[in-house]
């Protein structure tokens, strides 16, 4: 009798979990597919600012600063790429919609920021130092 009750309880919990809960849980897809990417971008920019701050107050060595900065910039490049792809997939124009021909008329040194002059080991869409769009 006890086993039957326990079994019934288990079945009840399983049914609850599988059927009732699944309906109650909102769909995982965010309202805007770009929203979570925007969030990630904001977090990376925050991290870059924090990193610069810690470097300026002397908490970080040059080596640590450069290494962390580069890894954050790579992460940022990935997020920005994903945002662009998502926007394209949705048929949306990005806020700063650049003409397709822009690459051909780009500055000769694409990995140097035209705003603050910071240099990066790879081509970036946005400057990791000042956050402005790079050519
Ligand atoms: Zn810059």
């Amino acid at each position: 009798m006890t086993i039957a009750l326990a079994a019934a309880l288990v079945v009840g919990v399983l049914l609850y979990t599988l059927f009732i809960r699944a309906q109650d849980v909102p769909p995982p897809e965010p309202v805007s597919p770009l929203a979570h990417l925007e969030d990630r971008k904001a977090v990376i920019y925050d991290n870059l600012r924090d990193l610069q701050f810690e470097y300026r107050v002397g908490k970080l060595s040059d080596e640590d600063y450069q290494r962390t900065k580069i890894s954050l910039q790579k992460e940022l490049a990935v997020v920005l790429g994903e945002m662009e792809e998502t926007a394209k997939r949705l048929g949306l124009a990005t806020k700063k919609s650049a003409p397709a021909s822009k690459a051909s008329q780009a500055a000769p040194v694409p990995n140097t920021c035209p705003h603050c002059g910071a240099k990066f080991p790879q081509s970036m869409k946005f400057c990791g130092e000042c956050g402005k769009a790079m050519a």
Side-chain angles (χ1 to χ4, degrees):
M1 196 58 190
T2 315
I3 290 166
L5 272 175
L9 188 67
V10 168
V11 170
V13 168
L14 278 175
L15 286 175
Y16 176 77
T17 311
L18 292 176
F19 297 103
I20 300 166
R21 287 290 298 279
Q23 287 166 11
D24 289 345
V25 172
E29 190 69 19
V31 182
S32 162
L34 280 171
H36 75 285
L37 289 169
E38 292 278 4
D39 287 349
R40 276 172 64 192
K41 188 177 80 169
V43 167
I44 294 168
Y45 277 128
D46 275 354
N47 288 343
L48 276 168
R49 272 192 292 273
D50 287 350
L51 182 73
Q52 273 181 281
F53 176 75
E54 291 193 0
Y55 177 60
R56 281 184 190 142
V57 298
K59 274 193 192 169
L60 287 172
S61 69
D62 273 2
E63 199 191 322
D64 282 345
Y65 171 66
Q66 292 298 338
R67 197 174 49 224
T68 311
K69 192 174 77 170
I70 286 164
S71 81
L72 282 170
Q73 283 166 350
K74 278 182 188 160
E75 216 177 305
L76 185 62
V78 170
V79 171
L80 293 174
E82 279 178 29
M83 285 176 76
E84 206 165 279
E85 268 175 38
T86 306
K88 266 186 211 157
R89 207 173 57 230
L90 296 171
L92 298 171
T94 44
K95 281 172 222 159
K96 298 170 191 167
S97 57
S101 62
K102 194 159 185 189
S104 58
Q105 48 180 265
V109 192
N111 51 354
T112 299
C113 177
H115 303 283
C116 69
K119 286 192 179 66
F120 303 100
Q122 68 194 93
S123 182
M124 307 273 295
K125 288 196 181 65
F126 291 91
C127 176
E129 287 288 347
C130 67
K132 284 178 184 161
M134 288 173 65

